[in-house]
Amino acid sequence: MRRDKILVRINNLDEINDYKKLDISNFLFAIEDYSIGYNTFKLDDLSKLDVNVYLLVNRVLDNEGIDSFKKIIDKLVFAKGIIFEDIGVYEVLKDKGIPLIWNQNHFAVNSRSINIWLDKVSSVVISNELEKSELEFVLDKVNKRVILPVLGLNMAMYSRRYLLSFYNAYKGLKTLKRALLKTDNGKEFIAVENKYGTVLFYKNYYSLLDDVNEFNDDKVLFYYIDPNMLNTIEVKELLEGKKSDFINPFYENKTVYRIGDLND
């Protein structure tokens, strides 16, 4: 995997120099007021960076949010691309000359819908919920280069409700903006909340780093790394081949289309 084809999301600005030493030059930043689940950054600070800056806009916007977003369009022109989730973002930016990258977590799972979007935007972030043969099929069929997630935490859900705050208030507990949750059946999630809602991440990291060389590199624009709570040293060790206990439940298991298939 060529380092110049890695896109890594930044948790804090101090990480950039460490990644540059690894010959990584493409960075994704969640922007203040329009992202959820991650540390965010001010556009004015990002525009001063001497790196390839990609912006993450993954908040679901209401009418007020769209109107607010329109006011910052002129500040976005420095970006190499904007990774968006809300289609309203596409509608207000589609004629602005800024490269757009479609990223709806659970939707980019088949080549037909992906190619429809690729006719409209610069690239698409492939869902990390595809089984290996399905992923290979999609990569073979896409009509433009796409972004392939290879390391990170799967986002299980996003709600505009304040799930942590509501729960803590009900239980009389201290309010936290990040917490580890455990369901009755033993599954664990990391909950992250800000003023725009709550996201749940599966606790365990997924990784396709061992299989990267098996994919059609010509169809990949970037290999996406989302460190979440990993530091730069840990990411470096993983890129250099360190083994770890990853869980790839989607990639390693047949996709279930019907409830009845669970009994097969």
mmCIF file of all heavy atoms in Angstrom, residues 17 32 87 102 111 132 152 190 244 247 262:
data_model
loop_
_atom_site.group_PDB
_atom_site.id
_atom_site.type_symbol
_atom_site.label_atom_id
_atom_site.label_comp_id
_atom_site.label_asym_id
_atom_site.label_seq_id
_atom_site.Cartn_x
_atom_site.Cartn_y
_atom_site.Cartn_z
ATOM 1 N N ASN A 17 2.664 16.068 11.839
ATOM 2 C CA ASN A 17 4.100 15.908 11.598
ATOM 3 C C ASN A 17 4.529 14.457 11.739
ATOM 4 O O ASN A 17 5.418 13.984 11.001
ATOM 5 C CB ASN A 17 4.907 16.793 12.547
ATOM 6 C CG ASN A 17 4.890 18.255 12.120
ATOM 7 O OD1 ASN A 17 4.743 18.563 10.937
ATOM 8 N ND2 ASN A 17 5.023 19.152 13.082
ATOM 9 N N GLU A 32 -15.706 21.838 12.650
ATOM 10 C CA GLU A 32 -16.521 22.328 13.750
ATOM 11 C C GLU A 32 -17.941 22.671 13.295
ATOM 12 O O GLU A 32 -18.139 23.282 12.249
ATOM 13 C CB GLU A 32 -15.857 23.574 14.346
ATOM 14 C CG GLU A 32 -16.502 24.098 15.599
ATOM 15 C CD GLU A 32 -15.765 25.294 16.158
ATOM 16 O OE1 GLU A 32 -15.600 26.294 15.406
ATOM 17 O OE2 GLU A 32 -15.336 25.242 17.315
ATOM 18 N N ILE A 87 -27.322 14.668 1.983
ATOM 19 C CA ILE A 87 -27.464 15.014 0.569
ATOM 20 C C ILE A 87 -27.686 16.510 0.389
ATOM 21 O O ILE A 87 -27.382 17.072 -0.671
ATOM 22 C CB ILE A 87 -28.606 14.192 -0.064
ATOM 23 C CG1 ILE A 87 -28.240 12.705 -0.024
ATOM 24 C CG2 ILE A 87 -28.875 14.620 -1.503
ATOM 25 C CD1 ILE A 87 -29.328 11.794 -0.538
ATOM 26 N N TRP A 102 -19.057 11.177 -1.623
ATOM 27 C CA TRP A 102 -20.251 10.663 -0.952
ATOM 28 C C TRP A 102 -19.869 9.628 0.093
ATOM 29 O O TRP A 102 -19.096 8.713 -0.174
ATOM 30 C CB TRP A 102 -21.184 10.046 -1.983
ATOM 31 C CG TRP A 102 -22.460 9.488 -1.438
ATOM 32 C CD1 TRP A 102 -23.388 10.153 -0.687
ATOM 33 C CD2 TRP A 102 -22.963 8.159 -1.614
ATOM 34 N NE1 TRP A 102 -24.447 9.313 -0.394
ATOM 35 C CE2 TRP A 102 -24.205 8.096 -0.946
ATOM 36 C CE3 TRP A 102 -22.493 7.022 -2.278
ATOM 37 C CZ2 TRP A 102 -24.981 6.934 -0.917
ATOM 38 C CZ3 TRP A 102 -23.255 5.872 -2.258
ATOM 39 C CH2 TRP A 102 -24.485 5.833 -1.586
ATOM 40 N N SER A 111 -22.610 -1.856 -6.455
ATOM 41 C CA SER A 111 -21.942 -1.100 -7.515
ATOM 42 C C SER A 111 -22.896 -0.191 -8.281
ATOM 43 O O SER A 111 -22.497 0.867 -8.766
ATOM 44 C CB SER A 111 -21.234 -2.060 -8.477
ATOM 45 O OG SER A 111 -22.150 -2.989 -9.030
ATOM 46 N N LYS A 132 -15.879 -10.133 1.846
ATOM 47 C CA LYS A 132 -14.707 -10.020 0.989
ATOM 48 C C LYS A 132 -15.037 -10.147 -0.495
ATOM 49 O O LYS A 132 -14.635 -9.310 -1.302
ATOM 50 C CB LYS A 132 -13.659 -11.070 1.374
ATOM 51 C CG LYS A 132 -12.390 -10.981 0.531
ATOM 52 C CD LYS A 132 -11.356 -12.011 0.958
ATOM 53 C CE LYS A 132 -10.096 -11.897 0.101
ATOM 54 N NZ LYS A 132 -9.059 -12.885 0.492
ATOM 55 N N GLY A 152 -10.231 1.068 11.377
ATOM 56 C CA GLY A 152 -11.033 1.999 12.153
ATOM 57 C C GLY A 152 -12.075 1.294 12.998
ATOM 58 O O GLY A 152 -12.024 0.078 13.209
ATOM 59 N N ILE A 190 -18.923 2.119 21.938
ATOM 60 C CA ILE A 190 -18.407 3.390 22.430
ATOM 61 C C ILE A 190 -19.373 4.469 21.986
ATOM 62 O O ILE A 190 -19.609 4.652 20.781
ATOM 63 C CB ILE A 190 -17.001 3.677 21.880
ATOM 64 C CG1 ILE A 190 -16.031 2.588 22.335
ATOM 65 C CG2 ILE A 190 -16.512 5.060 22.325
ATOM 66 C CD1 ILE A 190 -14.695 2.623 21.620
ATOM 67 N N SER A 244 -2.613 -7.521 15.593
ATOM 68 C CA SER A 244 -3.455 -7.138 16.709
ATOM 69 C C SER A 244 -4.767 -7.897 16.622
ATOM 70 O O SER A 244 -5.046 -8.569 15.625
ATOM 71 C CB SER A 244 -3.702 -5.621 16.690
ATOM 72 O OG SER A 244 -4.338 -5.201 17.872
ATOM 73 N N ILE A 247 -11.482 -7.403 14.722
ATOM 74 C CA ILE A 247 -12.699 -8.155 14.430
ATOM 75 C C ILE A 247 -13.281 -7.634 13.129
ATOM 76 O O ILE A 247 -13.559 -6.439 13.002
ATOM 77 C CB ILE A 247 -13.725 -8.012 15.576
ATOM 78 C CG1 ILE A 247 -13.167 -8.629 16.855
ATOM 79 C CG2 ILE A 247 -15.049 -8.657 15.196
ATOM 80 C CD1 ILE A 247 -14.087 -8.505 18.048
ATOM 81 N N LEU A 262 -30.349 -17.089 8.676
ATOM 82 C CA LEU A 262 -29.558 -17.233 9.893
ATOM 83 C C LEU A 262 -29.561 -18.671 10.391
ATOM 84 O O LEU A 262 -28.680 -19.067 11.156
ATOM 85 C CB LEU A 262 -30.107 -16.304 10.990
ATOM 86 C CG LEU A 262 -29.924 -14.809 10.742
ATOM 87 C CD1 LEU A 262 -30.708 -14.003 11.776
ATOM 88 C CD2 LEU A 262 -28.454 -14.432 10.786
#
